[in-house]
Amino acid sequence: MKVFLYIRVACADQFAAENQRDALERYAKDYGYEVAAAVTADGISGVHTEGIMTFLLNEAKRQNIDTILTRDSSRISRDAFAFMKFEKKFRENGIKFVYLSKSDNECPVTPMMEAFEAAYKKRRTKNGTRA
């Protein structure tokens, strides 16, 4: 299965971007994913991700990519409402995010990520969709 890697750092720190990419590539290899492309958003705030998310969605649809690997949910957005909106929009287009920050993966789960994921799961369950 072909996937995109999505890397976002809030600064122009090439080392931070390379570390994310290395971790994502290891994960992809370990789980049998073929990396179609890596999309890096350098210096983009975690709150203002609308433009890069639109680009990522359009490219994934164009290239028939149904999975995007990223470090954690805060890479999508640090705003809970925007995060849920993007997750829903991608899911409606048959595209899922896979996060390395899950407890069985190598990246630590931060309290903010846990809160986002709990709120998202609760909202999906409340709306009658499967969590």
Side-chain angles (χ1 to χ4, degrees):
M1 172 188 309
K2 289 186 179 182
V3 298
F4 277 163
L5 306 181
Y6 175 60
I7 302 149
R8 184 185 61 74
V9 292
C11 61
D13 181 352
Q14 187 61 32
F15 187 66
E18 286 178 19
N19 286 341
Q20 279 186 47
R21 184 179 185 135
D22 290 346
L24 291 168
E25 286 176 343
R26 273 194 314 276
Y27 183 91
K29 182 179 178 185
D30 290 349
Y31 287 87
Y33 292 115
E34 178 185 344
V35 177
V39 177
T40 303
D42 291 341
I44 294 180
S45 163
V47 178
H48 306 288
T49 58
E50 182 80 35
I52 192 68
M53 287 293 106
T54 299
F55 170 80
L56 193 58
L57 176 63
N58 291 336
E59 277 302 299
K61 287 174 20 180
R62 188 179 72 77
Q63 296 187 39
N64 294 316
I65 302 295
D66 65 1
T67 304
I68 298 170
L69 302 180
T70 193
R71 181 177 172 265
D72 58 59
S73 56
S74 72
R75 301 303 88 194
I76 307 310
S77 180
R78 290 187 183 268
D79 175 86
F81 178 76
F83 168 78
M84 290 187 282
K85 178 180 80 170
F86 294 136
E87 274 267 346
K88 180 180 179 190
K89 191 173 190 177
F90 278 74
R91 190 178 62 252
E92 288 172 348
N93 282 278
I95 303 164
K96 67 179 178 179
F97 289 100
V98 173
Y99 305 105
L100 268 63
S101 61
K102 298 290 187 189
S103 58
D104 59 339
N105 296 330
E106 63 187 69
C107 293
V109 177
T110 66
M112 184 187 78
M113 289 184 279
E114 287 177 337
F116 271 16
E117 290 171 8
Y120 185 62
K121 184 175 183 178
K122 183 177 179 181
R123 181 180 171 141
R124 287 184 66 194
T125 304
K126 182 179 174 183
N127 291 336
T129 59
R130 203 174 100 193

